[in-house]
Amino acid sequence: MYDSLTLDHLRVLIAIADSGSFSAAARRLQRVQSAISQSVRALESSLEVVLFDRSGRFPVLTPQGVALVADVKQLLREADTLKAKARAMSAGLEPELALAVDPLFPNRVLMDALHDVQKQFPTLPIRLITAGLGVPERYLREGAVSLALYSLETTGAADLSAQFMIEIEMIPVVAPSHPLAALAGCVGRDDLESHIQLVLSDAGGGSWSRGMVSSKVWRFADQHVRLEFLLAGFGWCNMPVHLVADDLEAGRLVALNLREQPGFSLSVHVVQKRDHALGMGASALVAALKCHLHHLSRASVPGQAWSIALGPDQRGASR
């Protein structure tokens, strides 16, 4: 019996419920009243339930009609969403925007850019993977994501196309309870070698060799877990300034003044496959990221949590 139901029948029901009469619904839908009455009869026949009490001057929803109106409104909203999504996909919007992001990238910038994309394409699903040290590139190569934000320190392959996004300032830090924090003046390489260095590694245990100083190394696959161990005083490491700025200000961490290398910067790029054309959502995200990073660079002041360059930069780095 439900096969004869149409969205038009349902819209007539909602128009009557909202306007209060068949005639008002007819004016709203720009139809003759007899067509409205016919739609209601067809709907009641399909549902096998009386929706309106017509004994008075104006039709009144029956208890069954009241119970169904909320469900009908939800069904119509879902139908409108489905049609909007289909129209967007036919215009070039991808079914899903999937991206992998290294935690080095400032989360606030990413959220602002994704908020812009959400406003522009409200039906576009987002799948966000956060992982570091080669994982974003692996997802990109496997086709699990269409975009990846990470450092190109360990790659440079010709089959990938990269656009420079941001240069992250990295500094060596340690908990104030750690012995290194008590050293006066500059800290030398010999001071670092005997203390545990907390480094990031991929799932297989591999890590970047540049910046490895200590003979004792603890490896972590998660940036935020490493931060917890850092705060607990297990060792020292290089951290993105924007991730530890609050801890430095609150005194939960101390910046080390290294004699050989006081700090460095790490370039993060947005990367895609050269043979893969970006959909409308991914293109909008790249544009939004550039826009927010541009605003951030214009508002930058000395000592800020990160620095931004607006042109290509291929300097190496480590963490």
Side-chain angles (χ1 to χ4, degrees):
M1 61 178 175
Y2 296 114
D3 290 345
S4 59
L5 278 175
T6 68
L7 293 177
D8 183 70
H9 291 152
L10 300 180
R11 290 193 173 93
V12 168
L13 170 62
I14 299 304
I16 299 171
D18 290 345
S19 61
S21 71
F22 285 22
S23 58
R27 289 191 296 272
R28 173 183 291 188
L29 298 176
Q30 297 183 340
R31 303 179 188 179
V32 296
Q33 186 170 334
S34 60
I36 299 297
S37 300
Q38 182 178 356
S39 292
V40 172
R41 287 194 297 270
L43 184 58
E44 290 178 327
S45 176
S46 296
L47 296 175
E48 296 183 354
V49 66
V50 177
L51 298 172
F52 292 96
D53 180 355
R54 301 170 177 81
S55 60
R57 182 178 178 183
F58 297 105
V60 178
L61 281 168
T62 63
Q64 296 89 341
V66 171
L68 290 173
V69 162
D71 291 336
V72 170
K73 287 184 176 180
Q74 178 63 28
L75 181 59
L76 289 175
R77 284 194 294 268
E78 291 175 354
D80 290 339
T81 299
L82 176 63
K83 290 192 294 185
K85 187 173 183 178
R87 285 195 299 267
M89 287 192 293
S90 67
L93 183 67
E94 54 268 58
E96 178 188 64
L97 173 56
L99 64 151
V101 182
D102 191 304
L104 283 171
F105 193 83
N107 205 34
R108 181 70 261 170
V109 175
L110 178 62
M111 288 191 292
D112 288 343
L114 285 173
H115 182 66
D116 291 347
V117 173
Q118 184 184 44
K119 287 192 297 183
Q120 186 175 356
F121 303 110
T123 65
L124 177 64
I126 304 292
R127 181 158 54 91
L128 176 63
I129 301 170
T130 55
L133 282 182
V135 178
E137 181 177 320
R138 187 172 74 245
Y139 277 108
L140 183 65
R141 292 186 178 280
E142 292 174 351
V145 300
S146 57
L147 278 180
L149 281 161
Y150 63 95
S151 171
L152 292 179
E153 172 71 11
T154 58
T155 185
D159 60 331
L160 298 177
S161 175
Q163 299 181 59
F164 174 78
M165 286 281 113
I166 185 172
E167 188 173 319
I168 305 294
E169 182 184 353
M170 306 285 288
I171 60 170
V173 289
V174 72
S177 60
H178 194 277
L180 287 173
L183 296 180
C186 292
V187 177
R189 185 184 183 94
D190 53 341
D191 298 316
L192 298 174
E193 287 178 344
S194 59
H195 293 282
I196 295 172
Q197 183 176 359
L198 311 177
V199 303
L200 286 179
S201 66
D202 58 24
S207 57
W208 292 359
S209 59
R210 186 174 181 269
M212 296 284 289
V213 175
S214 300
S215 57
K216 303 175 183 178
V217 175
W218 286 22
R219 304 178 191 278
F220 297 81
D222 186 284
Q223 179 83 279
H224 298 285
V225 173
R226 181 175 69 151
L227 176 58
E228 292 181 6
F229 276 75
L230 177 66
L231 290 167
F234 280 90
W236 72 276
C237 67
N238 295 303
M239 289 290 291
V241 179
H242 68 274
L243 285 183
V244 295
D246 291 341
D247 294 315
L248 289 169
E249 184 176 357
R252 293 185 292 268
L253 288 176
V254 176
L256 296 175
N257 184 16
L258 301 188
R259 185 179 303 117
E260 288 84 1
Q261 184 185 41
F264 57 87
S265 61
L266 187 62
S267 298
V268 176
H269 296 70
V270 59
V271 188
Q272 68 181 88
K273 289 184 178 180
R274 288 190 181 276
D275 59 355
H276 178 76
L278 295 182
M280 294 170 60
S283 298
L285 176 61
V286 173
L289 288 170
K290 290 180 178 180
C291 179
H292 286 287
L293 289 172
H294 178 69
H295 291 325
L296 191 61
S297 69
R298 289 171 61 90
S300 63
V301 295
Q304 67 179 42
W306 55 77
S307 59
I308 298 141
L310 297 179
D313 188 309
Q314 300 298 331
R315 283 181 289 173
S318 62
R319 39 175 157 166

